[in-house]
Amino acid sequence: MDRYAKWKQRELLVILFYAVAFYAYALRISLRLSHDHYLKLRGLAPGWLIPSRRNDVSDAQWRNFRGNLPILSFVFAVFTVIANGSRSLFKLKAKGMTILWLFLSLVYLTYLHGACVIYILSIATANFLLVKVFARKKFFPFMVWAFNLFFLLCNRIYEGYSFSIFGPQFEYLDNFRGTFRWHICFNFVVLRMISFGYDYHWGQLDSHFDLEKHVTRCSLCKLGKTCYVVRQEKDIASDSSCSFSLYLCYLVYAPLYLAGPIISFNAFASQLDVPQNTHSVKDVARYGLRWLFSFLLMELMTQFFYYNAFVISGLWRELSPVEIFIIGYGVLNFMWLKFLLLWRYFRFWSLVNGIETVENMPNCINNCYSLETFWKTWHASFNRWLIRYMYIPLGGSRRKFLNVWVVFTFVAVWHDLEWKLLSWAWLTCLFFMPEMLLKSASNAIKVQSAFGEFLLRELKALSGAVTITCLMMANLAGYVIGPSGLSLFVSSFLSKEGLPVLGGVFFSFYVGTKLMFHIKDLRSGVHRPR
């Protein structure tokens, strides 16, 4: 083993010691803050896992999901028994499963949205007709984007529309709007309508996908399984058997309707006929068990650490800089675990019924030191959708410095029409610029000595620390405290008391980035004796 490799092993031990000390300190401060201030915090409720402690349910999205989990799981079980039982008993293929899932999903939507299902079906039908009529035209991409952006914005501006606008005789329908706002869920339907439009449009053109070449490179395909890429590239949308019922089934498929993960039309339709074979029954069962353990972890976290409640209550403004950092860092970890539980629950439901989607959050939030990696692992299925239907049609990497602004602005508007989300998008783009330049420069550098490798690694670690700091600021501004709160957040760290804390935070992120390097090396076998 060479001297540089030995030095890296010693460095790893020091970094691990620092990481343990950092988290021990952060957890101790978090426990003290939660204990000292819980009487002033909003959004706490009696806990069930540890009855003597309060539970942080201040986040509306998590509170709604958690509160509706029993009825949602009942629907999950009933739909799964009906769908899988019918497939096995009646030997149903694509057409039969389409009709069955369309019926089940429409029952599900009627419970969720009541009479507002009319809006969903009307817009979906108009999109289907537009695709069928204009798919072969050169201006089709502009038309499909204009149509879907128009309804995406109007749905939000008019908050799902009132039936009374069509006349007083329809006003009574406003009393039957269901239990969930349809225009919130419709954001995902917009992505599916665009996916169908593009897949149908590309189906009219010559396919450039080389299946034989892909199979020689894909580890899954070599094992005789069918990977997501092959399913996605199957020309199903333009096939004569592609019916309106199949299109509608894709838009409202119950397991993925509320929150995704996002799947392309071709990938979805191909699995209605031949269910996924990538994951065995044991794999799917283990996946569900891992979700259950993650749910218990969330319950423990929210009963001991009231990170989100500090933000909702505005109490974080009264804390010291080091306490503000710990609360901010804790909120981001809470958000990560919340979305992991949401997305993996619905992906599990879909897997049980034979439809595989891309896994969101394949990596932990604390194992991302670049904006590109963070985005690819945070909402991975949305990232794939953006690359396939937006980034590449806009010119891909040839115009990447312009395209990232367009893509992230769309992502912000797609989430909601809020200034704080636009600020998140534009801050992210601003922070993306130097990272892309640095990545291009580092790829061009040819390291030929151990010292050169050491120097490049240190520069990347410093760059990673800067990126993590920027990521934390952008996500807090966009999803937690808003632009006004961000200015207070930053000013607290630029004060006389806050500057040493800022230095400590930056050093911790630098050490954390180096730990991620070591994890990557261990996975690739770099640390093994030579």
Side-chain angles (χ1 to χ4, degrees):
M1 189 185 298
D2 59 36
R3 292 174 61 187
Y4 183 53
K6 289 181 179 178
W7 179 85
K8 284 205 292 185
Q9 287 189 343
R10 296 191 190 100
E11 181 191 53
L12 176 59
L13 293 175
V14 174
I15 288 173
L16 287 173
F17 177 80
Y18 184 89
V20 170
F22 171 83
Y23 281 107
Y25 177 75
L27 292 175
R28 185 173 68 85
I29 296 295
S30 299
L31 284 170
R32 179 179 61 79
L33 288 172
S34 298
H35 178 270
D36 292 349
H37 298 282
Y38 77 95
L39 292 175
K40 306 175 190 176
L41 299 174
R42 299 201 314 263
L44 302 185
W48 66 273
L49 198 59
I50 306 174
S52 61
R53 295 195 64 87
R54 308 283 285 174
N55 194 4
D56 184 354
V57 289
S58 58
D59 182 84
Q61 191 176 34
W62 172 246
R63 183 172 62 249
N64 289 335
F65 174 74
R66 184 175 176 270
N68 288 296
L69 197 54
I71 183 66
L72 193 60
S73 297
F74 175 75
V75 174
F76 177 165
V78 171
F79 281 20
T80 298
V81 169
I82 294 173
N84 287 339
S86 300
R87 186 198 291 271
S88 177
L89 187 62
F90 301 109
K91 308 299 181 185
L92 297 181
K93 292 295 183 179
K95 188 175 181 180
M97 291 307 297
T98 296
I99 299 301
L100 178 61
W101 267 116
L102 180 57
F103 171 75
L104 293 174
S105 299
L106 287 176
V107 171
Y108 182 61
L109 259 67
T110 303
Y111 169 76
L112 288 174
H113 307 313
C116 293
V117 170
I118 297 170
Y119 290 128
I120 298 171
L121 296 179
S122 299
I123 299 171
T125 302
N127 182 76
F128 183 80
L129 293 173
L130 181 148
V131 171
K132 287 288 187 175
V133 173
F134 296 103
R136 294 175 178 82
K137 306 296 182 181
K138 290 183 179 180
F139 54 81
F140 172 77
F142 171 78
M143 285 195 66
V144 76
W145 272 104
F147 176 87
N148 283 278
L149 283 176
F150 173 78
F151 281 105
L152 181 69
L153 295 173
C154 286
N155 292 350
R156 287 289 182 155
I157 292 170
Y158 296 101
E159 298 183 344
Y161 317 107
S162 170
F163 282 101
S164 61
I165 63 175
F166 300 105
Q169 66 271 31
F170 297 105
E171 190 173 356
Y172 75 97
L173 290 174
D174 285 319
N175 298 319
F176 304 97
R177 299 186 70 91
T179 60
F180 206 87
R181 293 175 296 170
W182 75 273
H183 57 284
I184 303 298
C185 298
F186 199 79
N187 286 15
F188 282 98
V189 177
V190 164
L191 300 183
R192 297 178 193 121
M193 290 197 301
I194 293 173
S195 174
F196 170 77
Y198 265 103
D199 284 0
Y200 186 87
H201 170 66
W202 287 330
Q204 311 303 310
L205 311 174
D206 294 331
S207 174
H208 298 290
F209 181 67
D210 191 334
L211 180 60
E212 292 184 5
K213 186 177 181 181
H214 171 80
V215 170
T216 60
R217 295 180 177 182
C218 178
S219 56
L220 274 177
C221 293
K222 286 179 181 178
L223 296 173
K225 298 180 179 181
T226 308
C227 74
Y228 182 84
V229 173
V230 171
R231 295 191 191 105
Q232 184 172 257
E233 295 300 331
K234 283 186 177 179
D235 185 12
I236 295 176
S238 65
D239 192 83
S240 58
S241 62
C242 178
S243 61
F244 178 68
S245 58
L246 176 58
Y247 159 77
L248 208 56
C249 177
Y250 166 62
L251 297 190
V252 299
Y253 177 61
L256 303 178
Y257 174 75
L258 280 175
I262 301 157
I263 184 173
S264 71
F265 175 80
N266 284 343
F268 172 82
S270 65
Q271 293 178 86
L272 279 178
D273 189 34
V274 181
Q276 66 86 22
N277 62 358
T278 308
H279 304 276
S280 66
V281 174
K282 287 184 178 179
D283 292 336
V284 176
R286 277 195 294 266
Y287 189 82
L289 193 61
R290 284 171 57 199
W291 182 91
L292 184 60
F293 284 135
S294 298
F295 179 78
L296 293 174
L297 176 62
M298 179 62 130
E299 289 298 298
L300 281 172
M301 178 181 176
T302 53
Q303 290 200 5
F304 281 98
F305 310 115
Y306 306 145
Y307 297 124
N308 200 72
F310 270 95
V311 175
I312 296 297
S313 306
L315 202 63
W316 66 274
R317 300 168 186 268
E318 302 174 14
L319 304 179
S320 68
V322 67
E323 291 170 339
I324 291 175
F325 162 70
I326 289 172
I327 292 297
Y329 183 66
V331 166
L332 294 179
N333 280 271
F334 163 78
M335 288 173 59
W336 176 82
L337 187 54
K338 176 188 74 170
F339 285 117
L340 179 140
L341 286 164
L342 285 167
W343 285 325
R344 291 197 178 181
Y345 180 87
F346 293 112
R347 183 174 186 261
F348 175 58
W349 184 359
S350 185
L351 276 172
V352 169
N353 288 279
I355 304 289
E356 181 197 15
T357 67
V358 174
E359 174 80 284
N360 287 333
M361 294 184 166
N363 289 341
C364 177
I365 188 177
N366 296 298
N367 193 20
C368 296
Y369 56 86
S370 72
L371 282 164
E372 184 179 2
T373 304
F374 173 81
W375 182 244
K376 283 181 178 179
T377 58
W378 180 271
H379 202 166
S381 63
F382 194 14
N383 178 69
R384 284 208 184 193
W385 186 96
L386 289 166
I387 291 173
R388 178 174 172 83
Y389 300 112
M390 196 171 192
Y391 182 73
I392 292 177
L394 283 172
S397 58
R398 291 184 290 108
R399 300 172 183 169
K400 61 182 178 181
F401 289 98
L402 174 63
N403 287 347
V404 292
W405 291 89
V406 179
V407 169
F408 277 98
T409 299
F410 168 74
V411 171
V413 172
W414 177 83
H415 277 90
D416 207 347
L417 295 177
E418 291 186 14
W419 168 243
K420 69 176 185 179
L421 289 171
L422 284 173
S423 66
W424 163 81
W426 295 335
L427 278 172
T428 302
C429 293
L430 193 64
F431 299 148
F432 229 132
M433 296 296 108
E435 179 179 302
M436 288 191 291
L437 290 171
L438 183 64
K439 184 178 179 181
S440 300
S442 62
N443 290 338
I445 296 174
K446 303 289 185 181
V447 177
Q448 297 180 344
S449 65
F451 178 75
E453 184 181 344
F454 165 79
L455 189 61
L456 185 61
R457 192 181 181 93
E458 291 299 307
L459 289 172
K460 286 183 176 180
L462 289 170
S463 173
V466 173
T467 299
I468 295 170
T469 305
C470 294
L471 265 173
M472 185 173 179
M473 291 170 58
N475 283 285
L476 285 174
Y479 294 97
V480 184
I481 59 179
S484 59
L486 181 63
S487 62
L488 180 61
F489 184 84
V490 172
S491 63
S492 66
F493 284 98
L494 296 179
S495 64
K496 185 177 180 180
E497 182 187 1
L499 281 173
V501 177
L502 182 61
V505 168
F506 186 81
F507 179 74
S508 297
F509 288 157
Y510 162 78
V511 173
T513 304
K514 299 202 80 174
L515 178 58
M516 295 179 222
F517 291 165
H518 282 282
I519 292 171
K520 186 178 179 181
D521 288 345
L522 288 167
R523 285 176 176 173
S524 60
V526 173
H527 281 308
R528 293 172 188 166
R530 296 177 182 176

